[in-house]
Amino acid sequence: MKDATQIILRPLLTEKSTLLQRLNKFTFEVDKNATKIDIQKAIETLGRCEVEKVNTLVVKGKLRRTRRGSAYTPDWKKAIITLKEGQTLGGVLGEAFEGL
């Protein structure tokens, strides 16, 4: 298993993800080769909380046209983390979502 900071790349702060926070769900961009178990352990160590469920999906790259031609943006992996009832995201990850 990789280090937890190599698995969790960054939090995703979009309009939809901020609405999901009311349901105790948080979204992150994660390493493309990470498994759900790796993601769960990384969240529990960095966030100091207990994870109930991990949902993952691979976001396909979009076609972008430039002056020189066209190319695809890279594919990336998204994880939606559901915390157990009464748990809050703390530690390093809690600071990223602070003030929302």
Side-chain angles (χ1 to χ4, degrees):
M1 180 176 118
K2 292 184 179 179
D3 185 35
T5 56
Q6 293 176 341
I7 293 174
I8 307 298
L9 301 179
R10 67 184 177 105
L12 295 176
L13 300 174
T14 62
E15 187 174 353
K16 183 176 181 179
S17 69
T18 53
L19 291 175
L20 284 175
Q21 289 176 17
R22 295 179 187 167
L23 302 173
N24 219 12
K25 295 183 179 187
F26 297 89
T27 56
F28 297 94
E29 180 180 349
V30 296
D31 183 36
K32 197 169 179 189
N33 298 321
T35 63
K36 289 184 179 186
I37 296 169
D38 292 340
I39 296 167
Q40 179 179 355
K41 289 179 182 177
I43 293 291
E44 288 177 349
T45 57
L46 291 176
R48 298 188 201 135
C49 60
E50 294 181 28
V51 175
E52 181 179 337
K53 185 168 45 169
V54 177
N55 294 7
T56 60
L57 60 126
V58 175
V59 179
K60 300 294 181 186
K62 295 180 179 180
L63 179 66
R64 296 293 184 207
R65 292 174 38 187
T66 63
R67 180 182 300 177
R68 301 179 191 272
S70 59
Y72 282 91
T73 58
D75 299 343
W76 54 283
K77 192 172 197 176
K78 182 196 298 190
I80 301 172
I81 310 300
T82 305
L83 300 181
K84 289 188 178 178
E85 193 67 35
Q87 294 285 318
T88 57
L89 198 62
V92 177
L93 298 179
E95 295 172 6
F97 290 102
E98 205 167 83
L100 295 178

